């Protein structure tokens, strides 16, 4: 009997990654890190609101002229937007598919239930959905002005922000979303590091600390804006 | 000790199961958990009832056959196998819920017995080394650095009981698969199949319908052999490395 020769023909890199649960987690990790980097920059930019309408509106205008004269007006901004949309879509689609797989893998629950895993871990899925919905609302509110309270003024973000946080629902939606963000980042950053193989016994304590600090700084930095408007520091 | 047991009873793979309540009296704190179940079964047989089916073999914590979820914990409250769990871990008058491993990749065959052959197929996919058979090789022919030997041994401790799958909220077999992958991948003997091993074993794991890792950490807490959660991180790293290397070929 002739032995079968092993023909090592494997699918393409993209196929292998997308078809594997481990690969799809890597897609989530990378897209998550892209969004996280953006959020750090976004949060720092937001804090300029505490230096008055002049500096804040100028900063918003500068974002549109970024990269000139190499880039045309708003080209860089649109490039960032395209990358972010790609990251959000990749993150959400992989999360959806992986969650479906996870739920299928454990169809019947234990009769004896136990409180398991940390709050941040258990709220990743719903927290992610909340964040997705928030992004839609946030864009319609402060980018397009579609659902903006009061008259939305293109090119006057300072006034627009003050308008939004002068309504009770604007504050509630934002605060809930930022708490969800903190929890999501806390578990997500650490998980991404493990998925990409960056964790180890000696490094994990530091990675957890970085995740906590990032989550705390982002939440505090973002929440500072509505709190500033509510307390009248920003008006 | 007198105990109330609520045990999952299921006639066969297709039947619906339910929890049945039994009283066991005269339980000694020195009995192992399985001996306590033996006592129950003796009583059931004397009464002409069907004894509770459960998996067991070595009863010394090394074979990985026993598999019970006791009060929601795989292998019960102590960090050991069910056979090495003793009744002194419980108190007189306790009510104990005894259930089988729950995962779609581990279908229940009868009562508390599940089919774990999915693990065998993961091993078949790459949990071996290519070596000429025959007499044992000279021990010093292949030097293994001490830290690597220790790491390999830590992973080799996995007995494939499936407690990690039972404890995982996603029914994932990541800890089992990573223990097997890392065990061989850190050794020179495992080097020839380093890439194909991790790719094939992970692919088989997905194929069997296990879930994915969400870093809940339940598996490593339940593992009677103390396979660390970082084992999964190492496997992720190996998988990404193998994917890149194989794509370059």
């Amino acid at each position: 009997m002739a032995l079968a020769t092993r023909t090592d023909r494997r699918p393409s890199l993209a196929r292998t990654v997308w078809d594997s649960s481990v690969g799809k987690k890597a897609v989530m990790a990378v897209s998550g890190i892209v969004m996280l980097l953006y959020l750090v920059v976004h949060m720092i930019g937001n804090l300029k609101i505490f230096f008055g309408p002049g500096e804040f509106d100028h900063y918003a205008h500068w974002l549109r002229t970024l990269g000139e004269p190499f880039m045309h007006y708003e080209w860089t901004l649109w490039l960032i937007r395209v990358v972010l949309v790609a990251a959000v879509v990749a993150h959400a689609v992989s999360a959806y598919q992986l969650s479906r797989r996870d739920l299928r893998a454990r169809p019947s629950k234990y009769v004896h239930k136990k409180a398991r895993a940390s709050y941040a871990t258990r709220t990743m899925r719903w927290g992610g959905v909340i964040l997705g919905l928030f992004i839609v609302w946030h864009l319609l509110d402060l980018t397009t002005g579609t659902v903006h309270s009061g008259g939305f003024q293109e090119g006057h973000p300072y006034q627009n922000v003050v308008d939004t946080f002068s309504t009770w629902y604007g504050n509630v939606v934002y605060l809930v979303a930022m708490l969800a963000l903190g929890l999501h980042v806390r578990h997500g950053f650490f998980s991404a590091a493990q998925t990409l193989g960056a964790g180890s016994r000696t490094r994990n304590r530091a990675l957890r600390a970085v995740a906590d600090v990032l989550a705390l700084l982002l939440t505090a930095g973002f929440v500072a804006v509505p709190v500033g408007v509510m307390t009248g520091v920003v008006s | 000790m007198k105990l109330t047991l609520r045990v999952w009873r299921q006639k066969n793979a297709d039947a619906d199961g339910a929890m049945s309540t039994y009283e066991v009296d005269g339980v000694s704190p020195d009995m192992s958990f399985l001996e306590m179940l033996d006592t129950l079964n003796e009583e059931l047989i004397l009464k002409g009832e069907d004894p509770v089916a459960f998996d067991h073999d070595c009863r010394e914590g090394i074979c990985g056959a026993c598999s019970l979820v006791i009060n929601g914990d795989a292998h019960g409250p102590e960090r050991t196998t069910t056979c090495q769990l003793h009744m002194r871990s419980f108190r007189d008058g306790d009510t104990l819920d005894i259930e089988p491993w729950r995962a779609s990749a581990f279908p229940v065959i009868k009562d508390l017995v599940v089919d774990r052959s999915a693990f065998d197929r993961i091993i078949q996919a790459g949990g071996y080394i290519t070596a000429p058979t025959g007499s044992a090789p000279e021990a010093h022919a292949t030097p293994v650095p001490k830290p690597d030997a220790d790491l390999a041994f830590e992973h080799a401790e996995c007995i494939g009981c499936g407690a990690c799958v039972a404890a995982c909220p996603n029914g994932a077999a990541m800890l089992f698969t990573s223990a097997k992958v890392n065990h061989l991948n850190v050794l020179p003997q495992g080097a020839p199949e380093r890439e194909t091993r991790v790719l094939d074993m992970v692919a088989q794991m997905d194929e069997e319908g296990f879930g994915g890792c969400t870093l809940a950490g339940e598996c490593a807490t339940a593992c009677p052999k103390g396979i660390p959660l970082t084992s999964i991180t190492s496997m992720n790293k190996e998988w990404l490395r193998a994917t890149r290397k194989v794509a370059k070929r």
Side-chain angles (χ1 to χ4, degrees):
Chain A
M1 194 188 84
L3 285 172
T5 316
R6 179 160 186 167
T7 47
D8 214 12
R9 216 183 306 150
R10 290 188 179 265
S12 70
L13 179 72
R15 253 291 117 228
T16 314
V17 169
W18 191 248
D19 284 350
S20 167
S21 63
V22 174
K24 217 165 265 181
K25 279 280 292 192
V27 172
M28 284 198 75
V30 172
S31 54
I33 288 170
V34 168
M35 291 188 279
L36 186 60
L37 288 175
Y38 168 78
L39 282 179
V40 172
V41 175
H42 186 16
M43 187 271 285
I44 295 170
N46 278 7
L47 295 179
K48 298 201 170 51
I49 202 155
F50 291 102
F51 301 101
E55 185 160 345
F56 193 69
D57 291 355
H58 175 255
Y59 162 67
H61 179 73
W62 170 81
L63 282 177
R64 280 150 182 79
T65 61
L66 198 62
E68 283 184 10
F70 178 67
M71 298 294 258
H72 184 68
Y73 181 76
E74 282 198 348
W75 273 16
T76 312
L77 193 65
W78 275 105
L79 189 70
I80 294 170
R81 284 169 178 171
V82 169
V83 170
L84 283 176
V85 168
V88 170
V89 170
H91 201 75
V93 171
S94 353
Y96 175 76
Q97 294 185 355
L98 286 168
S99 299
R100 281 281 301 268
R101 158 179 279 280
D102 293 347
L103 295 172
R104 262 203 312 269
R106 170 59 69 69
S108 38
K109 305 273 166 259
Y110 288 107
V111 175
H112 192 107
K113 289 187 176 54
K114 285 207 116 174
R116 299 204 169 271
S118 72
Y119 189 72
T121 312
R122 283 184 282 125
T123 51
M124 283 307 271
R125 286 178 193 146
W126 279 111
V129 172
I130 288 173
L131 288 173
L133 293 173
F134 168 76
I135 292 171
V136 174
W137 177 80
H138 193 52
L139 290 177
L140 291 176
D141 180 33
L142 289 169
T143 304
T144 64
T146 319
V147 297
H148 190 71
S149 54
F152 180 79
Q153 295 168 284
E154 186 89 44
H156 294 89
Y158 187 92
Q159 192 50 48
N160 294 335
V161 169
V162 171
D163 288 347
T164 290
F165 294 129
S166 301
T167 62
W168 66 268
Y169 57 86
N171 287 316
V172 169
V173 168
Y174 198 84
L175 290 176
V176 168
M178 288 313 109
L179 287 178
L181 175 72
L183 290 169
H184 206 79
V185 166
R186 181 171 191 238
H187 185 74
F189 178 81
F190 182 72
S191 290
Q194 306 305 315
T195 302
L196 297 177
S200 73
R201 224 172 296 225
T202 45
R203 225 177 292 155
N204 274 2
R205 190 193 285 268
L207 281 171
R208 272 196 203 278
V210 172
D212 287 352
V213 168
L214 264 177
L216 215 62
L217 278 183
L218 279 176
T219 308
F222 280 122
V223 162
V225 178
V227 169
V229 176
M230 277 190 270
T231 53
V233 177
V234 176
S235 59
Chain B
M1 287 169 80
K2 191 177 169 176
L3 297 165
T4 306
L5 305 180
R6 299 204 305 152
V7 185
W8 183 262
R9 299 305 306 261
Q10 185 173 334
K11 244 191 166 59
N12 54 52
D14 304 319
D16 286 334
M19 300 294 269
S20 295
T21 309
Y22 303 96
E23 304 276 334
V24 216
D25 208 352
V27 174
S28 148
D30 298 328
M31 276 181 179
S32 77
F33 200 86
L34 297 184
E35 283 169 333
M36 184 275 293
L37 284 180
D38 291 338
T39 312
L40 168 70
N41 276 346
E42 277 168 17
E43 283 173 28
L44 290 177
I45 292 166
L46 283 176
K47 277 194 262 176
E49 287 178 39
D50 195 21
V52 177
F54 60 90
D55 259 332
H56 61 100
D57 192 17
C58 74
R59 298 211 178 193
E60 53 186 23
I62 57 169
C63 77
C66 54
S67 51
L68 300 178
V69 172
I70 303 156
N71 283 348
D73 289 320
H75 290 306
E78 312 281 342
R79 191 171 186 157
T80 183
T81 53
T82 306
C83 62
Q84 293 295 297
L85 174 68
H86 290 83
M87 296 316 292
R88 52 180 167 268
S89 300
F90 304 96
R91 271 181 296 180
D92 189 31
D94 273 358
T95 300
L96 306 179
D97 288 335
I98 308 170
E99 299 175 70
W101 282 178
R102 290 281 184 212
S104 58
F106 285 167
V108 175
I109 300 170
K110 187 178 195 299
D111 297 341
L112 302 168
V113 181
V114 297
D115 178 2
R116 282 171 282 181
S117 48
F119 269 14
D120 298 339
R121 290 187 291 273
I122 294 177
I123 293 289
Q124 281 166 11
Y128 52 81
I129 60 163
T130 305
T133 51
S135 57
E138 208 281 312
H140 294 294
T142 313
V144 180
K146 179 76 166 94
D148 291 356
D150 287 346
L151 199 60
F153 188 76
E154 186 177 26
H155 293 301
E157 277 194 76
C158 169
I159 52 176
C161 64
C164 45
V165 176
C168 176
N170 309 321
M174 289 287 279
L175 196 70
F176 166 77
T177 311
S178 65
K180 299 302 176 191
V181 165
N182 293 325
H183 163 205
L184 297 175
N185 272 22
V186 298
L187 292 173
Q189 287 89 342
E193 292 102 356
R194 185 172 167 189
E195 289 84 28
T196 52
R197 174 175 302 114
V198 62
L199 292 176
D200 292 344
M201 288 179 82
V202 167
Q204 189 63 38
M205 178 188 86
D206 283 346
E207 173 95 18
E208 297 293 343
F210 290 107
C213 180
T214 50
L215 263 292
E218 295 294 337
C219 55
T221 309
C223 179
K225 295 295 159 183
I227 306 293
L229 192 59
T230 46
S231 182
I232 294 178
T233 313
S234 308
M235 180 173 76
N236 289 336
K237 197 175 178 179
E238 281 292 304
W239 190 91
L240 291 170
R241 177 188 170 275
T243 311
R244 284 194 304 272
K245 281 206 103 173
V246 168
K248 265 190 229 154
R249 276 182 201 154

